[in-house]
Amino acid sequence: MSGFRSNLLLALALLTGMQAAGARSQVDYGVLIISRERVELATACDVGLYLQDQLAARLVQGQAVSFNLPPGPLSIRLSLLGPGPCKPGIEQLRQQSVTLVAGEARKFRLVQSTEGLHLVPTTARQ
């Protein structure tokens, strides 16, 4: 009887472990959050956010966007969008790479420097 009981306990432990592993694997995406604070980027132009060279969002002042994306490396590029002075003469070719992990949220903010637009990670990393 004790052999049956230990086998039953072992089977229950394995099932419980499999359910817990299944629950963890349900989150198969990472979250990318990008915000455009008014203080960090004073231009009135919209900012185009390109993920894997595809326009994914158009950010205005004070706006934030978030994406649920598959884990792994992600290529990000930023550019000014709009008419007149907002229209870039040359596309910004500078890309940044971010690696997303399943179940993790990565938060960035837009900033502009002499090198152009780029993302800076915020301290809120979950």
Side-chain angles (χ1 to χ4, degrees), residues 71-74 97-101 104 106 125:
L74 177 66
S97 182
V98 172
T99 301
L100 294 178
V101 176
E104 180 181 69
R106 302 277 314 265
R125 187 172 178 183

Side-chain angles (χ1 to χ4, degrees), residues 24 42 44 48-49 52 73-74 76 118:
R24 281 192 299 267
L49 171 68
Q52 308 296 76
L74 177 66
I76 301 172
H118 58 279

Side-chain angles (χ1 to χ4, degrees), residues 44-92:
C45 301
D46 293 353
V47 174
L49 171 68
Y50 295 83
L51 302 177
Q52 308 296 76
D53 286 325
Q54 298 293 319
L55 182 62
R58 191 177 185 121
L59 290 115
V60 297
Q61 289 183 3
Q63 185 180 14
V65 293
S66 64
F67 302 93
N68 295 341
L69 299 166
L74 177 66
S75 172
I76 301 172
R77 188 170 49 88
L78 305 165
S79 71
L80 296 178
L81 298 175
C86 296
K87 190 170 190 158
I90 299 175
E91 278 293 311
Q92 182 169 332

Side-chain angles (χ1 to χ4, degrees), residues 102-113:
E104 180 181 69
R106 302 277 314 265
K107 187 171 183 180
F108 296 86
R109 58 187 165 85
L110 294 172
V111 295
Q112 188 169 19
S113 68

